[in-house]
Amino acid sequence: MNGVELFLLGRALMKIGEQALPDAGAHGGNRAVLVVLSDVLGHPGTTISEVAARTGLPQSAVSGAVARLRETGSVVAETDPHDRRRSLLEAARDISGRVAEVRAATIDDAVATALGGDDGIDEVIAALELLSRRLHIRPDSPADQLSKPKPV
């Protein structure tokens, strides 16, 4: 595998992951929300403009994603004590209903759809779980607050 193939695999896995997430409802897609949440988890006490700068997303997209994350109880915002015009973002301490719903969703159906059937699904999911462990992506770690792998 070369770098281009790895990049394309990553994009395909992102699309499978998006399909595995419970419906976002009237708000639409999850990609910007996941990118913003991942950034906030990795940078507690950050601001919307800092998230926009790090992610490359337009500030309006970050603001919209933060609003959705606040509605679902995934992110909280507190007024910056040094500059009351700014809000500091961090992950909510309590797990919201939406986070619990997302964590409970499995990837089986989305992977089966991508594979064109159930043949080999257990092997593929086992390989993904191995890669997740090797990359140190764990539930409740800053890198992975949205997924909870099945026990192996």
Side-chain angles (χ1 to χ4, degrees):
M1 175 173 283
N2 63 36
V4 172
E5 292 168 328
L6 180 60
F7 177 82
L8 295 173
L9 174 62
R11 287 187 48 94
L13 290 173
M14 277 182 26
K15 290 177 183 179
I16 294 168
E18 287 176 340
Q19 291 170 353
L21 293 173
D23 184 24
H27 294 296
N30 294 302
R31 184 170 295 168
V33 173
L34 292 171
V35 169
V36 169
L37 180 58
S38 176
D39 188 81
V40 170
L41 293 171
H43 302 92
T46 194
T47 65
I48 287 175
S49 60
E50 291 167 345
V51 173
R54 280 190 298 270
T55 63
L57 292 171
Q59 190 161 336
S60 60
V62 173
S63 295
V66 167
R68 283 181 56 193
L69 290 165
R70 290 181 70 186
E71 285 174 16
T72 62
S74 302
V75 167
V76 294
E78 296 182 7
T79 302
D80 183 345
H82 303 294
D83 182 351
R84 300 194 54 78
R85 297 171 294 172
R86 298 182 342 151
S87 293
L88 304 178
L89 308 170
E90 64 180 48
R93 287 179 176 75
D94 297 324
I95 296 174
S96 70
R98 174 66 178 163
V99 171
E101 177 187 15
V102 170
R103 285 183 178 181
T106 66
I107 64 170
D108 300 45
D109 291 341
V111 172
T113 299
L115 294 176
D118 289 342
D119 188 37
I121 189 170
D122 292 336
E123 181 182 27
V124 170
I125 290 175
L128 292 170
E129 289 171 342
L130 173 63
L131 181 60
S132 176
R133 283 193 307 275
R134 292 285 176 99
L135 294 176
H136 305 289
I137 299 172
R138 301 175 311 277
D140 303 323
S141 73
D144 188 34
Q145 290 284 328
L146 284 182
S147 67
K148 188 170 192 171
K150 295 184 299 185
V152 178

